């Protein structure tokens, strides 16, 4: 029986890309390739070993070994400064004749040249086509798993992905280290990282949940339950030219308003009830940092408002002073009763952002001492309209250091003017809430 959700490049049914292939007979290595059948890691080691023997070091990597090194996306310190320049330029694995005339015999040069030619050709294929190629025989099955190739695909494609979650966020070390710095014993499995992080791979994992989960969800729908409540906050509610909340209230074809505020939550208010496409209702309580007059004046003057939701507490950690935020009493009451949180981040690249302060305020809101643990957090990486240049959501996740959070989270690209991406985020938030309530 063929696996339905396998990313393997071997003789299995690859439902992820819509291709089914039968097992092909194992053929010998391609004539003239210079190497036999081996794993992707072994191939990468041979490439690196050949480059070292030819005198190629890190400083000469772009000229000597027949490969143009990929420029890492802005991470760490670079992530904080990523802005209107639009990121970094990346090159595909390319051919180079430099350095081939030293320290290598004809057969060795032929093998190195053949590997470089294969890498260059395969870099023009899509990951889907690459998996189809790997399903033909044993040689190509090993060849398409080359770490160099999948690192190129990962750095090329991840800026275009519109969502990432706590399970699929790539490790920042993948971008900070040059490939030549990684030792033979610590080679990253870039193919596995790509499969886990790309939207197609995440949808495949989502569709492969056990059938009893759907039955449980159906039985729960027969029981009358209180609609889940979420607290929505963040600078994206106040700094953008287009109001996300106003658009949510006036677009019934996208999100239907099921009820206006009519009851109180400890004197704070109930927010607005909405109805999702599956007729499930949920409640959103919007929390602003200042009054509407103060927010309007700040937008006109392009100045920051004083956030009245939090108060600052200073503490000493070692020999340094640490800044810690706590929520005011009214907000604390809200945090004690909600089922999850929605943080609206400003993802416009031309603006300046203090991500460290944003993280501190997020941690103050989701403090486990204020309510049940592991409540889901949805981060809407929001811009005003489609024409505004945005910071890719994966870079945003690293800027906010979401990997430090301990509860489930998801970041979703959103456009305030059209609500693009909003329903995808709400769907994930409701699923996480229902699963948590079922437990």
């Amino acid at each position: 029986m063929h696996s339905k959700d396998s990313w393997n490049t071997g003789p299995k049914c690859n439902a992820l890309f819509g291709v089914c292939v039968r097992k092909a007979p194992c053929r010998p290595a391609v004539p003239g390739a210079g190497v036999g059948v081996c794993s992707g890691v072994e191939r990468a080691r041979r490439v690196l070993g050949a480059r070292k023997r030819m005198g190629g070091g890190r400083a000469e990597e772009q000229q000597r070994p027949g490969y143009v090194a990929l420029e890492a996306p802005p991470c760490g310190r670079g992530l904080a400064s990523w802005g209107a320049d639009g990121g970094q330029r990346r090159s595909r694995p390319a051919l180079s004749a430099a350095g081939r005339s030293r320290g290598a015999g004809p057969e060795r040069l032929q093998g190195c040249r053949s590997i470089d030619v294969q890498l260059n050709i395969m870099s023009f294929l899509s990951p889907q086509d690459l998996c189809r190629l790997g399903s033909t025989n044993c040689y190509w099955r090993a060849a398409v798993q080359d770490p160099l190739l999948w690192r190129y695909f990962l750095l090329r494609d991840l800026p275009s992905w519109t969502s990432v979650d706590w399970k699929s966020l790539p490790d920042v070390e993948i971008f900070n280290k040059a490939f030549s710095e990684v030792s033979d014993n610590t080679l990253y499995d870039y193919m596995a990282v790509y499969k886990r992080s790309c939207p197609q791979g995440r949808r495949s994992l989502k569709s492969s949940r056990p059938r009893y989960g759907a039955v449980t969800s159906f039985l729960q729908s027969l029981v009358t339950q209180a609609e889940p409540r979420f607290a929505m906050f963040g600078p994206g509610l106040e700094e953008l030219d287009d109001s996300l909340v106003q658009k949510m209230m006036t677009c019934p074809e996208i999100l239907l308003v099921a009820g206006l505020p009519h009851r109180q939550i400890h004197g704070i208010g109930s927010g607005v009830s909405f109805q999702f496409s599956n007729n499930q209702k949920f409640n959103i309580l919007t929390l602003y940092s200042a009054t509407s007059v103060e927010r309007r004046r700040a937008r006109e003057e392009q100045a920051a408002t004083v956030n009245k939701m939090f108060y600052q507490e200073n503490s000493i950690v070692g020999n340094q002073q640490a800044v810690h935020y706590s929520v005011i009493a009214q907000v604390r009451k809200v945090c004690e009763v909600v089922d999850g949180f929605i943080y609206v981040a400003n993802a416009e690249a031309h603006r300046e952002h203090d991500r460290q302060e944003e993280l501190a305020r997020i941690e103050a809101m989701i403090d486990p001492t204020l309510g049940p643990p592991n409540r889901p957090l949805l981060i809407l990486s929001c811009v005003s309209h489609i024409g505004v240049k945005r910071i890719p959501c994966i870079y945003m996740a690293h800027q906010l250091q979401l990997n430090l959070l301990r509860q489930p989270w998801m970041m979703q690209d959103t456009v305030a003017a059209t609500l693009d991406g909003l329903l995808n985020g709400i769907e994930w938030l409701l699923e996480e809430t229902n699963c948590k309530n079922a437990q």
Side-chain angles (χ1 to χ4, degrees):
M1 179 178 295
H2 298 301
S3 174
K4 292 184 178 181
D5 56 351
S6 175
W7 262 74
N8 292 339
T9 55
K12 292 187 178 181
C13 178
N14 197 336
L16 181 63
F17 294 136
V19 58
C20 181
V21 292
R22 298 294 182 182
K23 182 175 181 180
C26 181
R27 300 186 181 95
V30 173
V35 293
V37 176
C38 58
S39 65
V41 173
E42 180 65 24
R43 291 175 55 78
R45 289 173 179 169
R46 294 187 183 185
V47 172
L48 295 177
R51 293 175 184 175
K52 293 178 181 178
R53 289 191 296 271
M54 290 188 293
R58 183 184 179 188
E60 302 172 336
E61 183 178 2
Q62 296 183 357
Q63 299 178 358
R64 295 189 180 280
Y67 175 74
V68 177
L70 302 173
E71 297 181 5
C75 293
R77 184 176 179 181
L79 274 174
S81 61
W82 199 98
D85 58 345
Q88 307 257 347
R89 181 182 180 184
R90 300 173 192 85
S91 303
R92 67 177 66 251
L95 293 176
S96 174
R100 297 188 182 278
S101 60
R102 294 190 305 168
E107 296 181 357
R108 182 179 300 171
L109 288 177
Q110 181 182 4
C112 297
R113 186 178 297 111
S114 299
I115 294 176
D116 289 340
V117 170
Q118 292 175 14
L119 285 176
N120 188 53
I121 293 175
M122 289 188 293
S123 68
F124 288 92
L125 301 177
S126 66
Q128 297 92 327
D129 293 335
L130 205 62
C131 289
R132 296 187 181 99
L133 175 62
S135 301
T136 56
N137 59 39
C138 294
Y139 176 81
W140 289 113
R141 178 182 178 183
V144 301
Q145 298 180 26
D146 197 300
L148 284 170
L149 194 61
W150 285 96
R151 185 176 191 267
Y152 164 74
F153 285 138
L154 183 65
L155 299 183
R156 182 198 66 181
D157 295 344
L158 64 84
S160 64
W161 295 338
T162 58
S163 64
V164 66
D165 59 23
W166 58 299
K167 296 180 180 179
S168 61
L169 180 65
D171 188 0
V172 69
E173 291 297 327
I174 292 179
F175 312 120
N176 287 341
K177 286 187 176 181
F179 192 86
S180 58
E181 291 181 331
V182 182
S183 64
D184 291 348
N185 297 327
T186 59
L187 284 174
Y188 284 106
D189 190 350
Y190 292 99
M191 183 177 181
V193 174
Y194 189 100
K195 293 188 297 182
R196 184 178 68 249
S197 303
C198 76
Q200 297 95 326
R202 292 171 54 202
R203 282 195 296 266
S204 176
L205 293 176
K206 179 180 176 181
S207 62
S208 63
R209 68 171 185 169
R211 291 186 177 273
Y212 65 81
V215 176
T216 304
S217 301
F218 172 73
L219 296 177
Q220 289 177 353
S221 65
L222 301 179
V223 182
T224 303
Q225 296 179 348
E227 58 189 48
R229 295 170 291 187
F230 307 111
M232 184 164 65
F233 66 104
L237 294 174
E238 309 172 15
E239 298 176 354
L240 301 180
D241 297 333
D242 295 274
S243 172
L244 177 66
V245 176
Q246 182 179 359
K247 194 66 177 179
M248 292 170 61
M249 297 287 294
T250 57
C251 284
E253 67 277 7
I254 299 178
L255 196 61
L256 181 64
V257 177
L260 297 176
H262 56 82
R263 65 182 186 275
Q264 297 292 312
I265 300 178
H266 298 288
I268 300 297
S270 65
V272 180
S273 293
F274 296 93
Q275 182 171 314
F276 198 62
S277 57
N278 60 355
N279 296 326
Q280 182 176 2
K281 295 182 179 180
F282 60 96
N283 188 279
I284 294 182
L285 177 61
T286 306
L287 303 175
Y288 292 103
S289 65
T291 64
S292 58
V293 176
E294 293 172 336
R295 298 197 305 270
R296 189 182 308 110
R297 184 185 304 117
R299 282 196 300 269
E300 294 173 354
E301 299 176 357
Q302 296 185 353
T305 59
V306 178
N307 197 317
K308 300 179 179 179
M309 291 174 50
F310 305 90
Y311 62 91
Q312 184 174 323
E313 296 179 340
N314 297 327
S315 59
I316 303 298
V317 179
N319 297 328
Q320 297 181 349
Q321 185 175 1
V323 178
H324 176 72
Y325 286 99
S326 297
V327 296
I328 62 177
Q330 294 87 344
V331 177
R332 177 183 292 268
K333 294 179 181 179
V334 175
C335 295
E336 291 174 351
V337 298
V338 295
D339 300 291
F341 302 90
I342 303 175
Y343 182 78
V344 185
N346 187 343
E348 296 184 348
H350 66 277
R351 296 179 181 267
E352 295 184 358
H353 312 281
D354 188 348
R355 302 302 188 192
Q356 289 288 343
E357 186 170 303
E358 291 186 51
L359 174 62
R361 290 174 175 171
I362 291 175
E363 292 177 333
M365 286 288 294
I366 63 177
D367 189 347
T369 62
L370 301 181
N374 298 325
R375 287 177 291 182
L377 169 65
L378 170 64
I379 304 99
L380 298 178
S381 181
C382 199
V383 296
S384 299
H385 50 86
I386 298 178
V388 177
K389 189 172 186 60
R390 70 161 60 247
I391 302 174
C393 68
I394 292 186
Y395 299 166
M396 283 281 295
H398 282 299
Q399 288 182 6
L400 290 171
Q401 301 180 62
L402 297 181
N403 58 302
L404 301 179
L405 303 182
R406 297 185 178 182
Q407 63 258 58
W409 60 265
M410 173 185 174
M411 175 168 283
Q412 173 68 50
D413 282 351
T414 311
V415 180
T418 61
L419 299 184
D420 288 348
L422 177 65
L423 295 185
N424 295 333
I426 295 296
E427 180 182 10
W428 175 87
L429 189 60
L430 292 175
E431 288 180 355
E432 289 292 327
T433 303
N434 294 336
C435 291
K436 186 176 183 299
N437 293 336
Q439 295 175 358

